Amino acid sequence: MYYNDKTLVFLNGDWRYAEDAQTSLYGQTLHYGNGVFEGIRAYKNDVGFNIFKAHEHYERLHKSADLMHIKIPYSVEELVSISYELLDRNNLTDAYIRPLVYLGANMALQPTDEVNVFICAWKWEKYLGHDPIKAKISSYQRIHPASQHVEAKVVGHYTNSILATTEAKKLGYDEAILLDYTQHVSEGSGANIFIEKNGELFTPSRGNILPGITRQTVLEICKDHGIKVTEKPISKEQLLEADTAFFTGTAAEIAPIAQVNNTVFPLSWEDSIGQSIYHIYRQKVLFNDLQNQTII
């Protein structure tokens, strides 16, 4: 699914076939989860392709690394350039890009000097599909902000997401929604959430969420188009009383939610603000980073 025998990946300054890229079995990331990553999408357009908000993604990668005491040996500009070259080398246009910064052999619970940078890409459809989905409020709580840097995209944090997603799917749902330690809505297992009520949008405020780049894009679209949106704590009751809702994330893009638990939202996706935003978003992703876009 992710690679074949001709797939090239970037690893520590070299271009290698995916099957030849190797790492230590004693790595701190493998044993303890201390590593950071990003998910980035490229979109084909009529002059080539555009990697959407590549700079913002790599700036966040650097911020995540700094919070975890990891020094990335490449600048944001270098990482953006490598990503465009990666797609060119693999003849990809519509693609998902996965940069991973992982650590070398270290059994101690402290930073290690060996920092590895791996970047790969593959074709990947919308993570949650195109149809409105059913979501389940998870029995698992989102990571407490006093225990981890929730604003960092850290490898180990996603065990929380795996547990929530697995539970939801076993119960017949497509995705999970996690509450934070205050019992307010936090986010999905890998996406932020917006709810619509009486013609307005609401989304959980920062502090107990990973503030996503797609989430920020939706906020920008709302500002540009006069759509009222409020960042605030959202209770479970407010979620269930919403007219409709949607997830946002690089992998999921903008994904409509038709149902949470046993509650079916009364407003159809076709009549929602979310669908209007999605159409604007689809145009925005094609030409957001013109100065770096590859022309083919």
Side-chain angles (χ1 to χ4, degrees), residues 28-30 32-36 68-70 101-103 110-112 154-156:
Q28 190 182 69
T29 305
L30 180 63
Y32 301 129
N34 186 19
V36 296
M68 298 305 295
H69 310 288
I70 299 169
V101 179
Y102 66 95
L103 303 177
Q110 59 191 38
T112 179
V154 178
V155 173

Side-chain angles (χ1 to χ4, degrees), residues 28-54:
Q28 190 182 69
T29 305
L30 180 63
H31 286 264
Y32 301 129
N34 186 19
V36 296
F37 71 101
E38 276 295 323
I40 313 173
R41 276 199 186 272
Y43 294 87
K44 182 179 180 180
N45 56 35
D46 55 9
V47 294
F49 64 86
N50 172 61
I51 300 178
F52 184 58
K53 293 199 170 181

Side-chain angles (χ1 to χ4, degrees), residues 45-275:
N45 56 35
D46 55 9
V47 294
F49 64 86
N50 172 61
I51 300 178
F52 184 58
K53 293 199 170 181
H55 286 80
E56 288 89 336
H57 277 285
Y58 282 117
E59 286 167 358
R60 186 172 68 177
L61 185 72
H62 268 269
K63 289 177 182 176
S64 295
D66 288 344
L67 288 169
M68 298 305 295
H69 310 288
I70 299 169
K71 177 65 175 176
I72 298 178
Y74 297 93
S75 69
V76 168
E77 291 295 336
E78 287 172 326
L79 292 168
V80 171
S81 178
I82 291 165
S83 297
Y84 275 95
E85 184 176 353
L86 172 72
L87 297 190
D88 281 335
R89 285 176 177 265
N90 287 288
N91 295 314
L92 290 170
T93 52
D94 283 302
Y96 182 85
I97 303 164
R98 169 53 54 84
L100 170 67
V101 179
Y102 66 95
L103 303 177
N106 186 354
M107 292 297 109
L109 299 178
Q110 59 191 38
T112 179
D113 292 332
E114 182 186 335
V115 177
N116 302 282
V117 177
F118 170 72
I119 311 178
C120 61
W122 65 89
K123 290 182 180 290
W124 204 16
E125 291 296 318
K126 286 181 66 176
Y127 176 64
L128 295 172
H130 295 272
D131 297 327
I133 64 172
K134 297 191 302 179
K136 172 69 175 172
I137 296 176
S138 181
S139 67
Y140 292 96
Q141 187 182 96
R142 209 41 157 166
I143 298 167
H144 196 295
S147 64
Q148 297 279 1
H149 293 293
V150 296
E151 70 274 28
K153 201 169 177 69
V154 178
V155 173
H157 290 183
Y158 281 75
T159 54
N160 181 237
S161 299
I162 290 170
L163 289 170
T165 301
T166 302
E167 176 189 59
K169 288 185 177 294
K170 282 184 176 180
L171 293 172
Y173 293 85
D174 303 301
E175 176 60 304
I177 296 172
L178 294 94
L179 305 181
D180 62 26
Y181 73 100
T182 69
Q183 293 302 294
H184 286 87
V185 175
S186 177
E187 55 196 341
S189 64
N192 295 120
I193 188 170
F194 285 76
I195 68 169
E196 179 178 340
K197 183 69 175 178
N198 298 329
E200 299 180 22
L201 293 181
F202 302 87
T203 191
S205 47
R206 288 171 174 251
N208 297 318
I209 64 169
L210 174 70
I213 289 169
T214 308
R215 173 185 181 273
Q216 181 59 38
T217 302
V218 169
L219 294 175
E220 293 166 3
I221 290 171
C222 289
K223 181 179 179 181
D224 291 343
H225 292 268
I227 299 168
K228 188 172 182 180
V229 58
T230 303
E231 299 176 72
K232 64 183 288 290
I234 297 172
S235 69
K236 175 182 173 180
E237 290 72 28
Q238 288 170 325
L239 170 63
L240 295 175
E241 292 171 359
D243 295 329
T244 190
F246 58 91
F247 286 122
T248 64
T250 297
E253 298 185 304
I254 295 177
I257 304 170
Q259 176 180 338
V260 175
N261 292 355
N262 295 321
T263 299
V264 177
F265 291 129
L267 186 64
S268 70
W269 179 241
E270 290 74 18
D271 297 324
S272 70
I273 298 171
Q275 195 205 43

